[in-house]
Structures are given as structure tokens and as C-alpha cells.
């Protein structure tokens, strides 16, 4: 009989097998003292030490690692996918699908969990940890419960007076019940502070938050700050630094404090600290304030900010822009990517304008969100302890400020065709010494970085689509609740996961990425091909969904 750890791994491997659908078989043998996991493109095997799956004929590497107090080893082929390797270590750690794993070398430096992990010996084992879970558990919004309670109270009072429930109260109660059912059908509802219980399908009903709740948010941020500052003095491995320069970087492996460290690495490795006389502590204060000004919403959060900045960083290296643009222009692009969605409320410009929000009124319905993001960015930079631009000249500051405003305003999708058409005209005769050409290219680079999720591996990209749809559906639900025009591509009753992507990829991503690839042919394999594969993936999914609906109707 397998020990408890073995049984847990066996259960997870069966789940993995069911999810993959195409694996031929799954075998399990666990030695009491140690287990060895090996994975290939076909079946996943878990077998006694020293035994490679028969007939595999693959070149394998062995990784020794400590997890949950046990020394174990994994064996897999170098041609395995990153997703398979992560699933393998997730199973060994007995971790759930929402947990974040971290791998450390003997020196305490973090390693990227991927097929490129270097083989090691038992004496130099790695350490695997389950460090966090993405899910939190919060209750049903008190406003909704209060509304229901007040309706019940009103109903009882009316019945006392007139002997029956008026139709209007019945209708209101029905709307509240319907809205609650909609809330319960969504996995994450962070726009109202709602999350499903992990492992429990019922939403907990909590009393109103105490006044000290805001303090806990501050304490959590300070904890992130302490971890960030403690880790910032550690040396990030060369493997992670190189991986950070690629579109295949997996953001889901990293915690908030670690992402702040990696952002510091980006500013340092592009030599911004030396070129603009930025002190390390000022950069750290700036990065932390940026982190604090992103909201806990499904998509436009700090992790999205990190992904956009990381893609911009990767594109700078892949296209060798360091030799084509000035250092100050590179600073503008990277900092614009970092600040491009500061204090995003989770509702787009159309909602702001239709709901006549303070932002829409303040900015006269002209790119209200993007103008707000810019204002928040320069509000942070106005603090002396956060001002990474304090040592630049007046001319340099004017250039940086003007460039950042143009780049961030360019992320308003209402201006997409205008900017892309300008670039199309310039692209055949593009001149890196032409000021106007460079300005449009910088806007295009920020735009590409902002909507680049589909250029990433599917295991990284697809969870982002789930987050985006979650935010879209939240907005359309609110629009319906407030009687506002419902944004069609956000309506949960009309939009499916594949349909939301096929048109976006076909009519937005591919034309944009194709034009940039004409200027930088090296990007075809890095961003254009993955987007084409994503279109094929979602087209197949959409076709299968329609066929299934047709069969059901028949």
C-alpha cells in the first residue's frame, strides 16, 4: 500500500491524466523512502528509484529536491513542455491548481521551474516550496444582504397594513434573488470583494468589515515591502535574468515581492540607474508605490502591470532597441508600461462615460482612464522619496513626461486604428533618426506589450483570459443593474470564451503584431507565431462548441 504522500500524488496524477485526455497510461510505484517522478511527452510515470519507463528511449535529466521534509527526485526529458514539468512538481508537492510553487538552489537563489532546470546530485538538492495560494475567501457583499433584509422588513410592514404583498416588492425581491444567483455562478468576484471558498461551493456570509480592515491591507503591503527589500540584496540567477528577457516568462510562478525584485532587475540591467543617477532606495520606493496603486481586481492589477512591463523589457532585448533608440526613450517605454493602468477601477472608458463618473467628468469623456493613469503616475513621482527623475535635467524631464503621457494615452483602444494606420504608413520607410517615426514606434511597443498575453505560452495566457472575462462580466452585470447600455462583448449571456478571442486576435492582434514584425522580422517566432496558434486554438474550441450545441438541439 502506498504511503500517504504516494496516495496524494497518485490522486493528482490521475487528475492530470483526466485533464490532458491524451495520455495513454499512468503507472505508480512508490518506494517508502524516496520516490522518483519521470515525465515524457506521452504518459506520466512515477516509479521506484533507478527505473526509467520502458521503451521511452529519451534523454533524461534527474532533479533532486526537498519538498515537505522529504528528499525526492524527478526525471524528465529535455523535450518536455514547461506545463508538464510544472504539473509534475505540483503533484510532488501535493499542491492544488491555485498554489504558487518556488524552487531554490542550495544558495537560496530562485530557479525557474522549467525543462531547462539543471540536473543536480543528492548533495546539492534543490528546495521546492508551496508558498501561496491565489484564492482568498471573502463574503457576500453586505449591501446585497442589507437590501434583502430591508425588503423583507418592508414586505412584512405592508402585509400588516394592506394584507398582501404589492407587485413592486415581489419584483424587487425577484431581482435581488436573480442577482445573487448570478454572483454565485462566477468563480471570482473580486470587483465586490467576493471569492468562492476554496473547496467549498457556498459563499460565506460575513458581518460588515470592522474599521480595522484597512489596517490589515496596510499591514499586508508593508509585509510585501519588507520581503521586497530583504530579497532585493540577493543575486538573481543568470538563468532567471535570461528568462526574464523572453515572452515565454511565466508570471504565475512569482509572488508580489518577487515581481518587485524582478522589476528592479529590469531597471538595473538596462543601466537606467547609472544613466539617470537614480538611487537604489528611490527606485525601490517608486516601485513599491506603483504596486500600492494597483487595485485588487480580476485583470487590471499589479500582476498585469508586471506582465506588460516584462513583455516590454523582453521586446527591448529581442529587437536590440538599445542600439536603435536613446536610453531616455527606453526609460519612457519601460516606465509607461509599468504605470499604464495605475488605479484602474475594473470598468472601462465606455462605462465611465455612460455612468458619468468623476473620472469622465474630470477629463471631459476623453480617455478618462488613461488620463487618470498618467496623473497617478506623476503624483507618485512628485513625492521626493519616489522621484526617480529628480536628477535629470529640465529638458530631460519635459521629454520623459511628454513621452510617458503619449505612450499611456496610446493604450486607449478607441485610438487603436488611428495609431496603427500611422505606423503602417511609416513602416516601409521607417527611420530611427526621425522623431515622429520614433514616437509612433514607442506607442506601438507599449500597445503591443499591453495586449500581448496571447503571445505567451497557452498555460500562461489562458488564465489571463479567464481573468479578463471575469472583469468584463462584472462590468456588464453592473450595467444591467444600473440600467446603463450593456457593452456587447462583455455580456455573459452573449459571449463565450472562444468567441471573445477569435475576433480580437483576427482583427486586433494579428494586424498589429504583423506590422511590428515587418520592422523586426526576428519577432515572428517570438510573438506572431504564438498568436497564430492561439487563433487556431480558440477557433477549434469555438467550432467544437457550436457542433455540440447543434447536436444538443438536434
Amino acid at each position: 500500500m502506498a504511503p500517504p504522500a504516494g496516495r496524494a500524488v497518485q490522486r493528482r496524477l490521475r487528475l492530470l491524466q483526466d485533464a490532458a485526455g491524451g495520455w495513454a497510461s499512468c503507472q505508480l510505484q512508490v518506494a517508502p523512502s524516496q520516490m522518483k517522478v519521470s515525465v515524457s511527452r506521452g504518459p506520466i510515470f512515477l516509479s521506484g528509484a533507478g527505473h526509467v519507463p520502458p521503451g521511452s528511449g529519451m534523454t533524461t535529466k534527474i532533479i533532486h529536491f526537498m519538498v515537505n521534509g522529504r528528499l525526492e527526485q524527478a526525471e524528465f526529458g529535455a523535450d518536455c513542455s514547461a506545463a508538464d514539468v510544472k504539473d509534475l512538481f505540483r503533484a510532488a508537492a501535493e499542491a492544488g491548481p491555485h498554489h504558487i510553487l518556488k524552487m531554490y538552489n542550495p544558495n537560496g537563489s530562485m530557479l525557474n521551474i522549467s525543462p531547462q532546470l539543471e540536473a543536480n546530485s543528492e548533495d546539492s538538492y534543490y528546495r521546492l516550496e508551496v508558498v501561496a495560494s491565489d484564492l482568498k475567501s471573502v463574503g457576500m457583499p453586505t449591501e446585497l444582504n442589507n437590501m434583502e433584509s430591508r425588503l423583507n422588513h418592508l414586505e412584512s410592514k405592508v402585509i400588516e397594513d394592506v394584507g398582501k404583498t404589492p407587485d413592486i416588492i415581489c419584483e424587487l425581491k425577484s431581482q435581488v434573488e436573480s442577482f445573487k444567483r448570478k454572483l454565485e455562478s462566477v468563480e471570482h468576484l473580486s470587483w465586490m470583494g467576493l471569492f468562492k471558498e476554496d473547496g467549498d461551493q457556498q459563499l460565506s456570509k460575513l458581518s460588515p468589515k470592522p474599521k480595522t480592515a484597512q489596517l490589515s491591507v496596510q499591514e499586508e503591503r508593508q509585509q510585501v515591502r519588507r520581503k521586497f527589500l530583504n530579497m532585493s540584496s540577493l543575486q538573481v540567477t543568470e538563468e532567471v535574468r535570461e528568462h526574464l528577457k523572453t515572452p515565454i516568462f511565466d508570471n504565475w510562478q512569482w509572488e508580489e515581492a518577487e515581481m518587485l525584485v524582478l522589476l528592479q532587475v529590469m531597471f538595473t540591467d538596462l543601466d537606467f540607474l547609472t544613466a539617470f543617477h537614480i538611487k537604489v532606495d528611490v527606485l525601490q520606493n517608486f516601485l513599491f508605490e506603483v504596486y500600492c496603486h494597483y487595485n485588487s481586481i480580476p485583470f487590471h492589477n499589479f500582476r498585469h502591470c508586471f506582465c506588460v512591463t516584462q513583455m516590454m523589457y523582453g521586446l527591448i532585448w529581442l529587437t536590440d532597441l538599445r542600439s536603435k533608440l536613446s536610453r531616455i526613450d527606453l526609460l519612457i517605454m519601460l516606465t509607461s508600461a509599468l504605470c499604464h493602468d495605475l488605479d484602474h477601477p475594473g470598468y472601462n472608458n465606455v462605462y465611465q462615460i455612460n455612468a458619468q463618473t468623476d473620472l469622465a467628468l474630470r477629463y471631459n469623456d476623453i480617455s478618462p482612464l488613461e488620463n487618470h493613469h498618467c496623473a497617478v503616475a506623476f503624483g507618485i513621482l512628485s513625492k521626493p522619496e519616489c522621484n526617480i527623475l529628480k536628477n535629470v535635467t529640465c529638458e530631460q524631464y519635459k521629454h520623459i513626461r511628454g513621452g510617458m503621457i503619449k505612450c499611456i494615452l496610446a493604450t486607449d483602444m478607441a485610438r487603436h486604428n488611428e495609431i496603427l494606420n500611422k505606423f503602417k504608413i511609416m513602416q516601409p520607410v521607417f527611420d530611427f533618426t526621425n522623431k515622429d517615426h520614433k514616437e509612433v514606434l514607442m506607442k506601438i511597443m507599449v500597445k503591443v506589450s499591453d495586449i500581448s498575453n496571447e503571445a505567451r505560452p497557452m498555460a500562461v495566457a489562458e488564465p489571463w483570459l479567464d481573468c479578463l472575462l471575469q472583469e468584463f462580466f462584472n462590468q456588464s452585470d453592473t450595467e444591467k443593474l444600473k440600467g446603463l447600455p450593456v457593452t456587447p462583448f462583455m455580456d455573459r449571456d452573449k459571449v463565450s470564451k472562444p468567441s471573445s478571442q477569435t475576433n480580437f486576435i483576427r482583427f486586433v492582434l494579428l494586424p498589429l503584431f504583423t506590422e511590428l514584425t515587418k520592422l523586426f522580422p526576428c519577432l515572428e517566432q517570438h510573438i506572431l507565431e504564438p498568436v497564430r496558434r492561439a487563433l487556431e486554438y480558440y477557433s477549434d474550441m469555438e467550432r467544437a462548441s457550436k457542433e455540440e450545441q447543434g447536436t444538443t438541439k438536434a
Side-chain angles (χ1 to χ4, degrees):
M1 184 176 183
R7 289 199 299 273
V9 174
Q10 184 178 26
R11 284 196 302 275
R12 297 206 180 281
L13 287 177
R14 282 176 180 160
L15 287 173
L16 292 174
Q17 183 185 20
D18 292 341
W23 289 344
S25 64
C26 187
Q27 300 178 6
L28 176 70
Q29 297 173 0
V30 182
S33 60
Q34 185 183 40
M35 27 182 216
K36 169 180 169 183
V37 185
S38 63
V39 60
S40 68
R41 286 195 177 275
I44 280 187
F45 293 86
L46 199 68
S47 59
H51 181 253
V52 176
S56 64
M58 64 177 180
T59 302
T60 63
K61 63 173 72 173
I62 297 176
I63 307 294
H64 296 268
F65 61 101
M66 180 73 73
V67 61
N68 297 329
R70 305 186 306 272
L71 184 61
E72 299 178 0
Q73 63 187 51
E75 182 170 351
F76 51 85
D79 63 341
C80 288
S81 71
D84 282 347
V85 172
K86 286 166 193 166
D87 283 341
L88 184 151
F89 284 107
R90 191 176 298 281
E94 303 175 39
H98 301 295
H99 289 97
I100 298 173
L101 300 183
K102 292 291 178 294
M103 183 82 80
Y104 301 92
N105 68 15
N107 297 325
S109 298
M110 192 169 306
L111 302 172
N112 185 46
I113 299 177
S114 73
Q116 283 70 50
L117 271 173
E118 290 187 12
N120 60 356
S121 65
E122 285 190 23
D123 295 333
S124 59
Y125 62 82
Y126 299 146
R127 181 163 47 87
L128 180 66
E129 291 183 2
V130 181
V131 296
S133 172
D134 287 342
L135 300 184
K136 298 177 182 177
S137 175
V138 192
M140 183 71 78
T142 56
E143 292 83 358
L144 203 57
N145 287 330
N146 290 342
M147 187 187 300
E148 189 175 33
S149 176
R150 287 162 64 191
L151 278 173
N152 289 334
H153 179 69
L154 179 61
E155 182 182 25
S156 64
K157 292 289 289 181
V158 172
I159 290 174
E160 284 180 17
D161 294 338
V162 299
K164 67 173 186 176
T165 303
D167 292 342
I168 183 65
I169 292 182
C170 291
E171 185 181 343
L172 285 171
K173 288 184 70 174
S174 175
Q175 288 178 0
V176 170
E177 280 300 316
S178 173
F179 189 55
K180 285 180 75 173
R181 283 195 298 273
K182 277 189 177 181
L183 292 187
E184 290 174 355
S185 70
V186 182
E187 185 175 25
H188 302 293
L189 295 160
S190 60
W191 65 291
M192 294 181 75
L194 270 167
F195 292 80
K196 286 251 184 181
E197 292 259 18
D198 192 8
D200 186 352
Q201 294 304 306
Q202 298 299 318
L203 287 167
S204 60
K205 294 185 178 181
L206 302 181
S207 57
K209 290 183 180 179
K211 291 182 179 179
T212 55
Q214 187 61 32
L215 290 176
S216 67
V217 172
Q218 294 301 326
E219 288 170 358
E220 187 176 323
R221 287 176 177 170
Q222 288 307 314
Q223 186 179 31
V224 169
R225 180 179 174 82
R226 285 193 296 271
K227 290 174 71 174
F228 166 39
L229 296 180
N230 288 338
M231 287 190 292
S232 65
S233 60
L234 299 175
Q235 185 67 34
V236 176
T237 65
E238 191 60 32
E239 180 197 8
V240 171
R241 285 176 183 269
E242 289 304 310
H243 195 55
L244 195 60
K245 298 174 182 176
T246 69
I248 64 172
F249 188 87
D250 184 357
N251 69 92
W252 302 109
Q253 288 189 35
W254 304 85
E255 296 176 83
E256 292 165 329
E258 294 164 344
M259 288 187 279
L260 286 168
V261 171
L262 294 178
L263 290 170
Q264 181 177 322
V265 167
M266 295 179 206
F267 275 77
T268 304
D269 283 5
L270 287 173
D271 205 26
F272 292 157
L273 276 70
T274 303
F276 303 105
H277 310 290
I278 302 171
K279 293 183 178 179
V280 172
D281 62 327
V282 174
L283 174 62
Q284 291 170 342
N285 290 337
F286 172 68
L287 294 175
F288 177 70
E289 278 299 307
V290 165
Y291 155 72
C292 290
H293 282 80
Y294 275 92
N295 296 317
S296 295
I297 53 179
F299 184 86
H300 292 96
N301 49 41
F302 175 68
R303 191 173 292 274
H304 167 69
C305 141
F306 172 81
C307 285
V308 175
T309 310
Q310 185 270 320
M311 181 61 75
M312 173 61 74
Y313 180 71
L315 292 176
I316 288 171
W317 286 97
L318 289 171
T319 58
D320 193 26
L321 278 183
R322 293 182 308 146
S323 67
K324 299 177 175 70
L325 295 180
S326 66
R327 190 69 51 76
I328 199 167
D329 287 337
L330 299 182
L331 177 68
I332 289 170
M333 290 193 297
L334 197 75
T335 311
S336 297
L338 184 71
C339 299
H340 83 286
D341 270 333
L342 280 166
D343 196 35
H344 197 296
Y347 299 88
N348 71 3
N349 281 331
V350 173
Y351 176 89
Q352 305 297 325
I353 294 166
N354 288 338
Q356 299 180 21
T357 65
D358 289 343
L359 288 182
L361 295 174
R362 182 178 304 144
Y363 296 109
N364 303 311
D365 295 349
I366 301 170
S367 302
L369 287 179
E370 290 72 24
N371 274 297
H372 180 58
H373 306 324
C374 285
V376 175
F378 283 95
I380 294 171
L381 287 167
S382 71
K383 300 177 181 180
E385 69 275 14
C386 302
N387 188 5
I388 59 174
L389 305 179
K390 69 167 66 175
N391 293 320
V392 301
T393 66
C394 289
E395 283 304 309
Q396 285 177 320
Y397 178 81
K398 285 171 63 178
H399 181 67
I400 293 169
R401 176 169 164 78
M404 283 181 61
I405 291 172
K406 289 171 186 173
C407 284
I408 294 175
L409 291 182
T411 62
D412 183 355
M413 289 304 292
R415 299 185 57 207
H416 176 78
N417 288 331
E418 167 209 334
I419 296 169
L420 179 57
N421 288 335
K422 277 186 182 178
F423 185 62
K424 280 182 178 178
I425 294 169
M426 295 175 177
Q427 192 274 130
V429 292
F430 193 88
D431 181 2
F432 280 98
T433 64
N434 183 304
K435 179 177 177 291
D436 293 334
H437 287 202
K438 284 193 297 182
E439 186 177 292
V440 174
L441 175 62
M442 289 165 68
K443 293 178 183 177
I444 289 288
M445 294 292 282
V446 174
K447 284 176 59 59
V448 167
S449 300
D450 186 24
I451 55 176
S452 63
N453 282 330
E454 293 305 334
R456 299 182 184 275
M458 190 56 66
V460 178
E462 196 165 7
W464 275 117
L465 176 56
D466 294 332
C467 294
L468 183 61
L469 288 177
Q470 188 187 131
E471 202 167 283
F472 281 178
F473 294 160
N474 292 342
Q475 175 169 321
S476 65
D477 287 347
T478 305
E479 288 168 336
K480 292 174 186 177
L481 197 65
K482 292 189 174 184
L484 299 172
V486 179
T487 308
F489 64 86
M490 295 185 177
D491 192 340
R492 71 169 70 248
D493 299 321
K494 297 178 181 178
V495 174
S496 68
K497 185 172 177 175
S499 70
S500 71
Q501 282 304 90
T502 49
N503 286 338
F504 182 70
I505 294 173
R506 192 175 283 119
F507 300 115
V508 178
L509 290 190
L510 280 176
L512 176 63
F513 285 31
T514 299
E515 286 305 313
L516 186 61
T517 302
K518 288 177 183 176
L519 185 61
F520 301 111
C522 62
L523 292 182
E524 179 154 4
Q525 69 180 84
H526 293 291
I527 65 171
L528 191 54
E529 279 304 319
V531 168
R532 287 172 180 155
R533 289 195 296 270
L535 177 59
E536 185 178 350
Y537 173 80
Y538 287 112
S539 297
D540 289 345
M541 188 186 292
E542 187 175 26
R543 194 160 40 248
S545 177
K546 288 179 179 177
E547 289 173 359
E548 185 178 343
Q549 289 173 3
T551 304
T552 304
K553 288 178 182 178

